[in-house]
Amino acid sequence: MLALRLVRGSRPLVQLRRLLVAAASAGSGFLLLFVLAGALDSPAGSFPRLLWTLVPLALTVHLAVAVARTDPATLPPEGLDAAGLGPLRRAVVAAVSTAVACTLGSLLALAAFLHLRGQLTGLPFDGAGAKLLHADRPLPVAAALTLLTVLPLTASAAAALASRPRPRRTPQTELPWGVALTACGLAVEAYAGRGPAGMLAGWSLTALGLALAGPAVVHLAGALVQTARPGVLRLLAGRGLQEEAGRVGRALGVLCAVAAGALTVPALRERARQRGARRVV
């Protein structure tokens, strides 16, 4: 009951994100029902079409997990442990909110599918969707409901696992690996970067190294901000950088790698143009 109350009493922006999950779940559910109807009409070759539906299912689960991790009801604020909302309850809240959103989307998908087949209130769009959805064949209720429960169960389980408490890792442990990979990438670009394959391999290693070293660099920057004249603003800014080092650091490392690649592309084009001119001469 506590989980349902938290889900119902959330802010409008949180409810909007849950509606996005419901919309994605509705689209994936409709696709599953469409594949099921096609398999009833022509069983041969239906298995590859069913495998293709794993892509939107995976994307919907990923979206549901991302929304669950940003839900204020699943965050570990201080004082909620004493109120009975510990780590296990927060995982239950994440699972319940995700299951409610995905179940709503699956029900909407079933209603829209049956409506287009003409099984609810007549044939809409002059019966154009009836032939496409194979309305001449009866839809097995058990198989349809089984397919529609796959997404809510998978998404709720993934959201619960993503919301479980994890031991906090210090970002400094990524610094040696990041520096090593960045150095290897620069070495590959220097010695084997004459061709596009060597340049691409070197840039990939450099980007991976910067992404690994970014959180540690941001964490160290937060510590440095707090050392010089540690006032209130500096302490808050430094603590904020250290808390968000994992998110900000990786994005900053990838951004630096992309900027380096963007600066390298004109040099490669100029080198290729000079080589082409020499060959012509």
Side-chain angles (χ1 to χ4, degrees), residues 11 25 66 112 163-164 176 180 200 205 239:
R11 293 176 296 177
S25 177
S163 302
R164 72 185 189 277
L200 179 60
L205 289 176
R239 291 290 178 87

Side-chain angles (χ1 to χ4, degrees), residues 109-175:
L110 180 61
F113 188 82
L114 294 179
H115 179 63
L116 291 177
R117 282 169 60 96
Q119 298 179 358
L120 292 181
T121 58
L123 288 174
F125 306 110
D126 297 330
K131 183 177 181 181
L132 182 63
L133 300 180
H134 307 285
D136 54 337
R137 292 182 175 272
L139 184 69
V141 180
L145 294 179
T146 301
L147 285 178
L148 290 178
T149 56
V150 170
L151 182 58
L153 292 177
T154 306
S156 59
L161 290 177
S163 302
R164 72 185 189 277
R166 298 179 181 179
R168 181 173 295 181
R169 297 179 299 176
T170 56
Q172 287 86 351
T173 56
E174 297 177 355
L175 184 59

Side-chain angles (χ1 to χ4, degrees), residues 172-190:
Q172 287 86 351
T173 56
E174 297 177 355
L175 184 59
W177 291 102
V179 172
L181 287 176
T182 303
C184 291
L186 293 176
V188 170
E189 289 181 6

Side-chain angles (χ1 to χ4, degrees), residues 52-254:
W52 275 109
T53 59
L54 294 179
V55 177
L57 286 178
L59 293 177
T60 305
V61 171
H62 182 73
L63 176 62
V65 170
V67 170
R69 294 183 66 179
T70 58
D71 197 329
T74 61
L75 298 179
E78 297 180 358
L80 288 183
D81 291 338
L85 193 64
L88 182 58
R89 289 288 184 90
R90 290 195 293 269
V92 172
V93 170
V96 169
S97 62
T98 305
V100 169
C102 292
T103 303
L104 176 61
S106 298
L107 292 177
L108 291 176
L110 180 61
F113 188 82
L114 294 179
H115 179 63
L116 291 177
R117 282 169 60 96
Q119 298 179 358
L120 292 181
T121 58
L123 288 174
F125 306 110
D126 297 330
K131 183 177 181 181
L132 182 63
L133 300 180
H134 307 285
D136 54 337
R137 292 182 175 272
L139 184 69
V141 180
L145 294 179
T146 301
L147 285 178
L148 290 178
T149 56
V150 170
L151 182 58
L153 292 177
T154 306
S156 59
L161 290 177
S163 302
R164 72 185 189 277
R166 298 179 181 179
R168 181 173 295 181
R169 297 179 299 176
T170 56
Q172 287 86 351
T173 56
E174 297 177 355
L175 184 59
W177 291 102
V179 172
L181 287 176
T182 303
C184 291
L186 293 176
V188 170
E189 289 181 6
Y191 292 100
R194 294 182 178 179
M199 183 63 68
L200 179 60
W203 182 84
S204 301
L205 289 176
T206 305
L208 182 60
L210 290 175
L212 288 178
V217 173
V218 174
H219 193 276
L220 292 177
L224 291 177
V225 168
Q226 300 177 63
T227 55
R229 296 180 180 180
V232 178
L233 294 179
R234 285 182 177 270
L235 287 175
L236 291 176
R239 291 290 178 87
L241 283 177
Q242 289 181 336
E243 289 292 333
E244 300 294 333
R247 297 180 180 179
V248 178
R250 293 188 182 92
L252 184 61
V254 174

Side-chain angles (χ1 to χ4, degrees), residues 36-52:
L36 176 62
L40 294 176
D41 186 70
S42 56
S46 60
F47 185 71
R49 292 195 297 267
L50 186 61
L51 289 180
W52 275 109

